[in-house]
Amino acid sequence: DTLPFMVASQAGATGLVKQYTHIIVDTQARPEPDELKDLAQGSDLLILPTTPNHLDIDVTIKAVELLSTMTDNYRVLLTQVDSRTKTGREARKALEEAKLPLFKREIPRLVAFERAAEKGVIVKDYPDPRSNFGWLCYQAVGKEIFALMT
Ligand SMILES: Nc1ncnc2c1ncn2[C@@H]1O[C@H](COP(=O)(O)OP(=O)(O)OP(=O)(O)O)[C@@H](O)[C@H]1O
Ligand SMILES: [Mg+2]
């Protein structure tokens, strides 16, 4: 077991929930409105990861139109940002213009993330020249989350 956290299915999580301080729920790509409402009410923060692709950004903006009627406990996280192109910058601009709350930090597209997932380890435990940078980016997001919670 090489992951520094417990992973459980939703069905298997019932008995585990009370043993842990921090619980992260990974949802399907587009939760139903009822489920979204339950998540919004039961969570300290909803994180909406999106790639900078036009289609994903459109879906994210639509999702937030609905979510914003339920809560303001959410932030959009740009992921898989290709540093070689300007898509990331354009996406951030589009999201800002749509007045969506964004994490300042974004997650770069790195082979290290793919390989780490393949190997079943977190990025910092995958030997690759960029894995430290990938880890640093998530740590920065973590700090933003902590700042929101206090
Ligand atoms: N920042 C990244 N850089 C490179 N590859 C990434 C990055 N983030 C995710 N990936 C890869 O993209 C694929 C999908 O990632 P992920 O499971 O996070 O997507 P998802 O949208 O949750 O998919 P699903 O709909 O199946 O739940 C995986 O192969 C993963 O390794
Ligand atoms: Mg997923």
Side-chain angles (χ1 to χ4, degrees):
D1 218 352
T2 42
L3 289 173
F5 45 81
M6 168 67 103
V7 182
S9 69
Q10 209 164 358
T14 337
L16 291 168
V17 162
K18 58 181 175 297
Q19 294 176 41
Y20 292 89
T21 311
H22 302 292
I23 295 159
I24 297 173
V25 181
D26 183 26
T27 68
Q28 63 185 73
R30 280 172 235 183
E32 297 296 319
D34 278 352
E35 200 190 342
L36 200 59
K37 195 161 194 173
D38 288 348
L39 281 164
Q41 283 168 355
S43 308
D44 296 312
L45 180 69
L46 300 187
I47 299 174
L48 291 87
T50 179
T51 78
N53 299 326
H54 287 278
L55 292 175
D56 288 344
I57 295 296
D58 285 350
V59 170
T60 299
I61 290 173
K62 291 255 160 57
V64 168
E65 273 171 20
L66 175 65
L67 188 60
S68 62
T69 67
M70 304 171 179
T71 177
D72 50 16
N73 271 345
Y74 59 88
R75 277 269 186 304
V76 175
L77 178 65
L78 277 170
T79 60
Q80 301 198 33
V81 178
D82 188 341
S83 58
R84 297 164 301 183
T85 70
K86 55 185 190 318
T87 343
R89 258 166 290 145
E90 286 171 354
R92 182 170 290 274
K93 214 172 135 224
L95 292 167
E96 277 168 358
E97 272 164 17
K99 300 240 172 11
L100 269 60
L102 272 166
F103 284 105
K104 290 190 204 82
R105 181 63 72 126
E106 55 201 36
I107 307 303
R109 173 144 88 212
L110 298 176
V111 169
F113 282 118
E114 276 173 66
R115 299 276 163 79
E118 259 167 53
K119 274 199 72 186
V121 297
I122 63 171
V123 75
K124 91 175 160 64
D125 295 332
Y126 183 79
D128 176 282
R130 297 261 156 77
S131 49
N132 273 333
F133 179 57
W135 178 240
L136 184 144
C137 292
Y138 268 112
Q139 281 182 306
V141 173
K143 282 176 191 154
E144 287 186 58
I145 294 171
F146 273 124
L148 288 170
M149 299 294 111
T150 51

